[in-house]
């Protein structure tokens, strides 16, 4: 269709609809303002799209947009659908770091223990990154911005810094797979700019195995009294007797203990509470000594109503759902002696080495340590 409008005609026209041909028209609602619009038919349906606000959108600009939309129609597509998809794409490409983090976490939490509800995977990012960088679109994040933000914690708390970079690497790999707009080499560049750190691994302190019996006897001093035994004491005792990691002990359920004709009581700890990636973790079965069986019975004798936990924490006021006893409650028992609950695993290992009552392979398997040689492991 031939073009009908001129700038002079537009300026002098009274409020009305002015057609330029081919479905393009100016809805001039007042003398000084209006909207460019495009009316068209696609798949036997009538559509009308706004192309811009007049006079800020000129006649030539409106014609250029109109021509672009006509080409889209000629290709068999609906301009409105094409534009909506472009807007959606642009919005997704401007996703913020916070939005990306939680979107990526929802995607990968299935491989984390209990779907990541413990919060350990999220906490380094939520505590150290999102408060300052969370509102920035990922396409605007540079390696220098990350380095400037992470450098101090990288130098002062290297293990935490490593976790942060690892988590960022995971979420940006997700962003790349989702085709979000950002620098795909961002994390590698960040690693290259972070300073080299000589980090000395500080092992958790352990109690000398020679001192464990005396400490254990202190935890047993209420056994023969007509009083409730502190749940943290019982939890600590089971940790000493089985060398199972703290998380595995604190979350123990009565249903996990079963009698076996050959080995007595066996405790099956589900893989969700074992230390390994969920995809590689396995249920861990360990036999109980007579004293460990007695600890389980003591816990059963004072079992809380409404929970299968051996060592439940106190429910919050007004609520009756129980959580496992906190790690802090158990740790406070050994902290005055300068050691940790996890350290009892080392106490057990050094006892086995010093006394020589168990082969190294056996003690390693008892601690759920994987053996490098698959044949030996089998």
């Amino acid at each position: 269709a031939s073009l009908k409008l001129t700038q002079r005609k537009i300026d002098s026209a009274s409020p009305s609809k002015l057609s330029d041909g081919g479905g393009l028209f100016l809805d001039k609602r007042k003398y000084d303002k209006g909207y460019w619009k495009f009316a068209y038919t696609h798949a036997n349906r009538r559509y009308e799209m706004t192309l811009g606000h007049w006079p800020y959108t000129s006649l030539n600009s409106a014609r250029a947009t109109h021509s672009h939309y006509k080409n889209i129609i000629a290709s068999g597509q609906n301009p409105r659908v094409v534009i909506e998809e472009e807007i959606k794409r642009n919005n997704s490409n401007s996703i913020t770091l916070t939005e990306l983090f939680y979107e990526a976490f929802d995607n990968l939490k299935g491989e984390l223990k209990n779907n990541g509800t413990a919060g350990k995977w999220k906490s380094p990012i939520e505590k150290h990154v999102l408060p300052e960088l969370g509102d920035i679109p990922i396409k605007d994040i540079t390696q220098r911005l990350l380095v400037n933000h992470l450098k101090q914690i990288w130098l002062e708390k290297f293990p935490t810094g490593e976790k942060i970079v690892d988590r960022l690497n995971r979420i940006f790999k997700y962003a790349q797979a989702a085709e979000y707009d950002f620098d795909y080499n961002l994390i590698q560049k960040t690693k290259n700019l972070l300073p080299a750190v000589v980090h000395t691994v500080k092992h958790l302190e352990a109690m000398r195995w020679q001192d464990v019996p005396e400490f254990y006897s202190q935890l047993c001093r209420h056994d023969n009294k007509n009083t409730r035994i502190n749940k943290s004491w019982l939890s600590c005792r089971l940790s000493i007797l089985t060398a199972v990691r703290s998380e595995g002990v604190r979350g123990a359920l009565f249903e996990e203990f079963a009698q076996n004709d050959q080995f007595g009581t066996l405790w099956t700890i589900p893989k969700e509470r074992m230390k390994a990636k969920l995809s590689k973790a396995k249920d861990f079965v360990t036999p109980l000594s007579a004293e460990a069986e007695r600890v389980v019975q003591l816990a059963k004798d004072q079992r809380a109503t409404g929970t299968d936990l051996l060592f439940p924490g106190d429910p919050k006021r007004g609520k009756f759902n129980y959580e496992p006893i906190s790690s802090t409650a158990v740790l406070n028992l050994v902290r005055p002696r300068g050691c940790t609950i996890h350290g009892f695993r080392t106490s057990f290992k050094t006892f086995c080495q010093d006394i020589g009552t168990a082969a190294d392979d056996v003690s390693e398997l008892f601690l759920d340590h994987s053996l490098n040689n698959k044949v030996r492991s089998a």
Side-chain angles (χ1 to χ4, degrees), residues 222-350:
H222 289 164
D223 284 9
N224 298 319
K225 298 179 181 179
N226 188 22
T227 182
R228 293 183 67 84
I229 304 172
N230 192 301
K231 294 185 287 282
S232 62
W233 292 16
L234 292 176
S235 173
C236 185
R237 287 167 63 176
L238 194 60
S239 294
I240 293 172
L241 295 168
T242 62
V244 170
R245 295 179 180 89
S246 179
E247 183 180 359
V249 173
R250 290 184 293 104
L253 304 174
F254 286 105
E255 64 184 24
E256 295 169 0
F257 300 87
Q259 287 296 317
N260 181 278
D261 293 338
Q262 184 177 1
F263 300 107
T265 302
L266 293 180
W267 179 17
T268 301
I269 306 167
K271 61 183 180 182
E272 289 78 14
R273 294 209 312 278
M274 298 305 295
K275 181 184 177 182
K277 288 185 177 180
L278 192 58
S279 58
K280 296 182 179 180
K282 297 179 180 179
D283 292 350
F284 181 69
V285 182
T286 187
L288 297 190
S289 64
E291 176 63 14
E293 287 183 337
R294 194 167 77 89
V295 171
V296 174
Q297 184 59 49
L298 288 170
K300 193 172 185 178
D301 291 342
Q302 56 184 44
R303 181 173 182 173
T305 303
T307 178
D308 196 36
L309 288 163
L310 267 73
F311 314 116
D314 295 326
K316 293 181 180 179
R317 183 175 296 179
K319 296 185 179 180
F320 297 96
N321 56 318
Y322 290 88
E323 295 289 338
I325 190 172
S326 70
S327 58
T328 303
V330 187
L331 179 60
N332 286 339
L333 296 176
V334 295
R335 184 176 280 150
R337 292 179 176 244
C339 56
T340 64
I341 296 297
H342 192 86
F344 288 118
R345 289 168 57 82
T346 301
S347 305
F348 166 78
K349 181 64 180 181
T350 53

